[in-house]
Structure formats: structure tokens, C-alpha cells
Amino acid sequence: ILNVEQSPQSLHVQEGDSTNFTCSFPSSNFYALHWYRWETAKSPEALFVMTLNGDEKKKGRISATLNTKEGYSYLYIKGSQPEDSATYLCAFPYGGATNKLIFGTGTLLAVQP
Amino acid sequence: GAVVSQHPSWVICKSGTSVKIECRSLDFQATTMFWYRQFPKQSLMLMATSNEGSKATYEQGVEKDKFLINHASLTLSTLTVTSAHPEDSSFYICSAPRGRAQETQYFGPGTRLLVL
């Protein structure tokens, strides 16, 4: 059974703090690893699709790294702002299909002003 | 702006009734859409793949006669929860892949269903 795990489950930081969280996934038969950001009452928004071992992607203050050999990805937020408060989800394609995703339970980030 | 819409955003119904949820791609065509369900404190779980012009494919453990999926056009997929019961109360959300490699999923905002 494929399992995608995220930690921590929730995180409270002060505005300006930098933070990071982890996504663990099966290292065999790797195709891609997705990161989404999900604000309350909105649609999940795609952040990154990572495919290459050692890859690092960046979008503003948010960046992600990927280690396919050991099966983990880190998401970093530099200088957190209140608008970064959201649930961050990672997802792993399975079943030979690139679009069928298994999601982790997410990391809920709350940034205090 | 939103590229995938979902309607309704929430619904309360009596046990035994059927509920239809619509998922629309707003400015692109989607031959495939996905339906997920999320119970409290759990992750999004894929229920089924909606295929335009053909039958949906369901994940293991999802009853196809219970959750009817119709993908009649390139921009609309519907999920009907038939004879809903309290245990069907959940958050239902759809997504559609977009882009050259179809890798990026665009999600609707979801539908909260409460069956009394």
C-alpha cells in the first residue's frame, strides 16, 4: 500500500520566521512529487511538480527540494507572512498514471502577525 | 482567477435523497477529471476518474452504483451521490489536469455534504 506522510501535522510560527516541513513518499517507481497550497475556503493551488532527484524549485519565498533515493521532499518558506497561512499538501502519482494522486494529510501552517 | 468551479459549495439533505455535484473547467477542456473525498482529519482520497464520452473508472472500495459520474462534455463532470446516508457526509472535491504534460491538477473549491 502506497503511503505519503507529512510532518509536522501543524505548525505555528511568528511573522518573519522561516520554516520547513517534510513529505515522505515511496522511493521505488518514482515519477513525480506534487506540492499544493490550500487556503481555507479556496481551491488547492499547485505550487510545484518535482521530477528530478536533487531538484530544487522556487516560487517567491517558497522553495522545495527533492530526494527520490531516500523518498522525501522538503518545503521551505522564508520570512513567513500571515498570508502564507494555509495547509500544504504533497501528493504522489500512482498506478502507472501520472494524474492519479495519493495525498498526504497536509501540514497546517499558521503565521501569527 | 478560478479555473475549475464546483457547485454547490455546500448541501444539507435528508437521508435517502440523491445529491448532484457539478465540476466545470472554466477556460479549458478537460477530457479527464478526478473526484476526491476527504473525511475529517484524513487526506484527500481519490474516488474515481471521470472520462469524457466513456465510463468512469472507480478506485477500489468505491461503489459505482452509489456514486454516479457523468462526463457529458469537455467542460463538465457531475457526481451524483445516490440515496445518500449520514456516512456519505464528507467533503467532495474535483480536479482536472491541464497543461502540455497534463501534470498540474487544477482543483475546484469543493462541496461540503451533510446528510441528516
Side-chain angles (χ1 to χ4, degrees), chain A residues 21-34:
Chain A
F21 20 94
T22 308
C23 173
S24 300
F25 54 85
S27 56
S28 59
N29 298 317
F30 178 83
Y31 183 83
L33 193 282
H34 297 234

Side-chain angles (χ1 to χ4, degrees), chain B residues 78-100:
Chain B
T78 60
L79 169 69
T80 301
V81 184
T82 62
S83 186
H85 290 284
E87 58 265 30
D88 298 321
S89 299
S90 187
F91 183 77
Y92 294 86
I93 190 167
C94 66
S95 73
R98 186 184 184 185
R100 188 166 54 91

Side-chain angles (χ1 to χ4, degrees), chain B residues 37-110:
Chain B
R37 179 169 55 180
Q38 185 182 38
F39 292 108
K41 306 278 188 196
Q42 295 185 23
S43 57
L44 291 171
M45 295 291 291
L46 180 65
M47 297 174 67
T49 303
S50 174
N51 304 299
E52 188 270 332
S54 64
K55 289 182 181 179
T57 51
Y58 291 80
E59 296 301 302
Q60 193 171 12
V62 178
E63 298 174 58
K64 60 179 170 65
D65 295 328
K66 172 79 171 172
F67 299 99
L68 300 179
I69 291 173
N70 185 281
H71 195 146
S73 78
L74 287 169
T75 59
L76 174 64
S77 174
T78 60
L79 169 69
T80 301
V81 184
T82 62
S83 186
H85 290 284
E87 58 265 30
D88 298 321
S89 299
S90 187
F91 183 77
Y92 294 86
I93 190 167
C94 66
S95 73
R98 186 184 184 185
R100 188 166 54 91
Q102 298 273 288
E103 284 184 328
T104 301
Q105 296 278 344
Y106 288 84
F107 283 84

Side-chain angles (χ1 to χ4, degrees), chain A residues 9 31-32 34 36 38 41-46 49 51 89 94 98-105, chain B residues 4 34 36 38 41-44 46 49 59 91 93 97 101-110:
Chain A
Q9 202 168 23
Y31 183 83
H34 297 234
Y36 289 85
W38 194 0
K42 294 187 178 179
S43 304
E45 172 198 355
V49 179
T51 55
L89 300 170
Y94 73 102
T98 62
N99 292 322
K100 289 174 63 168
L101 300 175
I102 292 181
F103 280 86
T105 50
Chain B
V4 175
F34 298 94
Y36 292 84
Q38 185 182 38
K41 306 278 188 196
Q42 295 185 23
S43 57
L44 291 171
L46 180 65
T49 303
E59 296 301 302
F91 183 77
I93 190 167
Q102 298 273 288
E103 284 184 328
T104 301
Q105 296 278 344
Y106 288 84
F107 283 84

